[in-house]
Structures are given as structure tokens and as C-alpha cells.
Amino acid sequence: MRRVFAKDWWIWTVLPVMLIALYFDFVGSPNDAQLGASARILYFHIGSASVAGIAFTVTAIASIGYLIQRTVVWDIWAAASAEIGTVFTTMILVSGTIWGRVAWGAWWTWDPRLTATLILWIIFAGYLLLREWSDNFERRATYSAIIALIAYVDVPIDYMTIRWWRSIHPVIFTNQGINMPVSMQIPMFLSMGAMTLVFIVWMAVRMRLMRAELGVGDLKNAIRAHIEGQ
Amino acid sequence: MTPLQHEYLLALFGAYTGLFIIMFGFMYRMLQKSRKLDHDVKLLKDEWLGQSEAPMESDDADSSVMPTVRGHGMQDA
């Protein structure tokens, strides 16, 4: 146990950073004039959204990389990032529905932003299911790369929905600046930064496990080839 | 902000702290599993290479042999 903590000490430094950010989000930030204390959910919500955006962008870039070079490392990057992006999209949907109940009086509404986010979550859930069900590595990597690229089209659409269509979802980042007082921007950016760090360490850990699992697969194939060659 | 609201927010902070501790707990388990897999693969590779480099004393030595690794908790025969 001590070895895991000692060798990967840098991973564990992110946890206190995240907890400090959470403290500022929930306890150290001011109440919103209209929404009161419930506005604090937004910090977590926006942080999750920014990480999901980064994660799916990494997935799309890695998928293009795989389709061009056909190397395993691109597939690992894409899969690990898609998994984490899907978890953070789940956090967006959960925190968003809780906030929506307080702000709009409804758990869910078929608003363009909410619908686009739900579609994104469904496509990437399908992506992860495809990866679980397929045994053929090359076919799985190719199909999942194509699905990831199709799904990624929804990411910029999701971001722009509240600017292109009429939506009840608040717009924080506008052409005129950030639509939020400075006292609320600090916990928001702190949350975004801490969650990005969580994404980085999670990627490192998940990719290491995927590489280890790949090592087992490679060894199995080598033994099988050796036996068949006898 | 009333004291009750403050306590409620502290409770929320505690709940989210728990969520992230669970998340890092999963990461810890993933790291443990990666280490174990790396170790097992290395062990199997070494054993396999050792077998294929061993001097052939009989005709049987030329046949394919699956590498064997003693699992956790297994006793010597």
C-alpha cells in the first residue's frame, strides 16, 4: 500500500487541491442575489462541463490519430478520455437537473442545451458499450474512432445551442465577457482548474491500467502463436 | 446566511468530499491492479523465456509448454 502512495505521490496531491476548490465552492463563495445558495451547484456543473469538453476533444484528436497511424497508443488515449468524459457528462446532467429543479421549477425540460448534452451522453455511452462488447481489437478501435468523431460533432453544437437558439439555460461566457461577478468567478475558475487536474491524473491512471491489460493480451497472443507454430 | 444554511452547505461540502474520496479510491485500486498485471506479465515472460532457453534433454523438451505461475494462496504440491 505504501509503495502505491510513494511512487505515485503526485497523483494524491490533486485530492487536497480538489477539496480546497470544493470548500471555496460551497462554503467560501457568496450567495447569488436571485438563486441564493443553490447557485453554488453551478461551480461544480461548469467545472464538469469544461472537463467533459476537454475529454471529448482529446478523444476526437486521438481517434483521428488512430485512423491515420493505426497505433494502439492512440486508441488507449481515445478510450480513456471518452470514459472520463462520459463520467463528467453524467455529473453535468445530475448537477444540472438538481439546479434546474431549484431555478426553473422542473427537473428536466427539452431545452436545446439539455437535449444536446443528453444526446452526447447517449452516444458516448454507446461508444463505451461497443468497446466492451467487441473482441476484435482492430475492428473495435476503428469503429469506436469513427463513432467518437461522429459524436464529437455534438460538442461544439452543445456549446453553441444557448447562443444559436432560444434557451432558458444561462449563458456565462459571452462576447461581452463573463456574465458573473468576480466574487463568483474565483470559485468557478478554481473548480474548473481543480477538475482539470483530476482529469489529468485520472487519464494517467486509466491509461496505465489499459497498457497493463494490453500487455496481458499481447502475452496471450504470443503464447497462442507459439503453440500454433509448434 | 443563517447558521442552518451554513451547516447545510458544510454538509454538502462533506458529501462532495466523500464523492471525490471514492473517486480517488477507485484510482488507487486501478493503480494496484496495473502494478499486479505488470508484475504478473513480467513473471510469465521471464518464465517462458527461461523455458525456451533451457537445454533440451529429451524429445519432450521440443514440445510447446504453457508457462505456469503459482497463483495467490496456492500451496506447493
Side-chain angles (χ1 to χ4, degrees), chain B residues 11-48:
Chain B
L12 266 181
F13 166 66
Y16 275 80
T17 298
L19 190 76
F20 277 91
I21 287 172
I22 291 168
M23 190 187 270
F24 274 78
F26 274 112
M27 285 191 212
Y28 175 79
R29 290 191 68 175
M30 278 195 263
L31 279 175
Q32 263 189 327
K33 196 178 169 188
S34 310
R35 256 167 213 273
K36 191 182 174 309
L37 284 176
D38 284 340
H39 177 259
D40 287 354
V41 166
K42 190 179 176 302
L43 211 68
L44 280 162
K45 269 184 184 164
D46 289 348
E47 193 169 334
W48 191 29

Side-chain angles (χ1 to χ4, degrees), chain A:
Chain A
M1 185 174 175
R2 198 178 291 168
R3 275 184 64 197
V4 174
F5 277 111
K7 199 179 174 193
D8 302 299
W9 60 269
W10 65 277
I11 287 170
W12 313 115
T13 57
V14 174
L15 181 60
V17 174
M18 188 65 235
L19 298 188
I20 290 166
L22 281 177
Y23 185 82
F24 271 92
D25 290 354
F26 286 109
V27 188
S29 62
N31 274 356
D32 183 85
Q34 286 183 325
L35 294 167
S38 70
R40 287 170 170 83
I41 300 169
L42 282 178
Y43 307 131
F44 185 80
H45 183 75
I46 295 168
S48 304
S50 63
V51 170
I54 294 167
F56 291 139
T57 305
V58 170
T59 301
I61 293 167
S63 298
I64 293 169
Y66 179 79
L67 291 174
I68 293 169
Q69 293 189 338
R70 302 274 168 179
T71 47
V72 179
V73 69
W74 286 119
D75 184 58
I76 290 178
W77 270 90
S81 197
E83 273 183 20
I84 300 166
T86 309
V87 171
F88 276 93
T89 309
T90 310
M91 289 182 186
I92 299 170
L93 289 169
V94 172
S95 57
T97 48
I98 294 169
W99 183 82
R101 179 72 182 85
V102 181
W104 305 328
W107 294 103
W108 184 264
T109 168
W110 293 103
D111 178 85
R113 165 56 72 84
L114 275 66
T115 310
T117 309
L118 183 65
I119 289 169
L120 190 68
W121 184 84
I122 289 169
I123 300 174
F124 272 102
Y127 170 95
L128 295 177
L129 283 176
L130 174 92
R131 295 194 66 88
E132 279 299 309
W133 289 341
S134 177
D135 287 335
N136 184 312
F137 170 78
E138 279 184 26
R139 200 181 302 160
R140 182 183 75 181
T142 307
Y143 287 168
S144 47
I146 293 165
I147 290 175
L149 289 175
I150 294 167
Y152 188 72
V153 173
D154 192 36
V155 174
I157 293 173
D158 195 2
Y159 181 75
M160 294 304 290
T161 44
I162 48 179
R163 294 159 182 88
W164 286 342
W165 292 291
R166 272 205 298 181
S167 169
I168 55 169
H169 192 283
V171 185
I172 305 291
F173 298 97
T174 63
N175 291 336
Q176 286 77 41
I178 301 168
N179 198 7
M180 191 181 260
V182 178
S183 58
M184 292 175 83
Q185 283 181 32
I186 295 165
M188 181 186 74
F189 282 116
L190 201 61
S191 185
M192 285 167 78
M195 284 198 185
T196 307
L197 290 176
V198 169
F199 167 70
I200 291 167
V201 295
W202 198 346
M203 274 293 282
V205 171
R206 189 68 186 101
M207 283 174 64
R208 196 183 296 179
L209 179 58
M210 282 181 164
R211 270 198 291 264
E213 285 169 345
L214 213 66
V216 176
D218 286 348
L219 188 65
K220 272 185 190 171
N221 290 337
I223 293 168
R224 195 175 297 138
H226 180 74
I227 292 168
E228 284 168 1
Q230 290 287 311

